[in-house]
Amino acid sequence: MKTVANASSGMAVAEHSKNTFTELQRKKVYRYVVFKIDERKKEVVVEKTGVPAESYEDFTASLPENDCRYAVYDFDFVTSENCQKSKIFFIAWSPTGSRIRSKMLYTTSKDRFRRELDGVHYELQATDPSELDLEVLRNRAN
């Protein structure tokens, strides 16, 4: 597994993570991908993927209650002109109850990881479930 080094935080991005994002973006193989930092390997890896039929609730339920994660979500919606659209959201999940070390690790690695994901339309920071409400995505996408 090839990784790309991250000079600023020491976190690499697993090639598999980038490929999985590309499959979500171009081939619509996934509705969402949840990524986590593997401290042992010092890289960002895929923790979970959701098939296109999964709901937004399935996605939010896959985020841990007390630990940080990165995620991408492919949001389908209909515009006011009745056009079907899709926007990819990058979500930095950093719940209030997570460890300080985890928050620091995810914060310092975020920009580098986010740059690897070419094609993200919007970015969200969330510290509690209310900030991940589906309306938040709808408002950003329109």
Side-chain angles (χ1 to χ4, degrees):
M1 184 185 295
K2 191 173 146 260
T3 56
V4 180
N6 178 351
S8 62
S9 73
M11 284 303 142
V13 179
E15 196 66 34
H16 177 67
S17 293
K18 288 192 287 188
N19 293 343
T20 304
F21 171 75
T22 301
E23 288 176 341
L24 172 140
Q25 178 192 28
R26 299 205 180 116
K27 299 177 183 160
K28 305 287 184 192
V29 175
Y30 307 111
R31 170 68 53 205
Y32 63 86
V33 182
V34 177
F35 302 94
K36 75 178 211 174
I37 291 177
D38 183 327
E39 289 190 61
R40 210 173 30 80
K41 292 182 180 172
K42 294 208 179 315
E43 67 182 8
V44 179
V45 298
V46 173
E47 180 177 55
K48 183 179 191 320
T49 55
V51 295
E54 287 193 56
S55 70
Y56 189 69
E57 289 71 32
D58 295 327
F59 162 66
T60 55
S62 72
L63 296 171
E65 199 178 314
N66 289 313
D67 201 5
C68 303
R69 291 295 184 271
Y70 301 126
V72 287
Y73 185 82
D74 189 5
F75 179 60
D76 290 332
F77 63 102
V78 178
T79 67
S80 52
E81 296 84 36
N82 213 22
C83 293
Q84 184 70 41
K85 293 236 174 176
S86 170
K87 296 288 182 187
I88 297 173
F89 281 80
F90 175 84
I91 298 162
W93 173 242
S94 184
T96 313
S98 51
R99 296 182 348 259
I100 298 289
R101 175 173 166 66
S102 181
K103 288 180 188 178
M104 287 175 53
L105 199 56
Y106 277 81
T107 300
T108 57
S109 301
K110 183 185 73 125
D111 289 341
R112 168 74 171 84
F113 179 58
R114 169 67 185 77
R115 280 195 303 273
E116 293 289 333
L117 307 179
D118 196 29
V120 167
H121 301 103
Y122 301 104
E123 187 173 316
L124 282 180
Q125 290 275 141
T127 57
D128 76 71
S130 68
E131 296 172 323
L132 284 179
D133 192 79
L134 195 54
E135 276 306 303
V136 174
L137 271 66
R138 255 190 216 107
N139 292 338
R140 288 289 295 276
N142 281 320

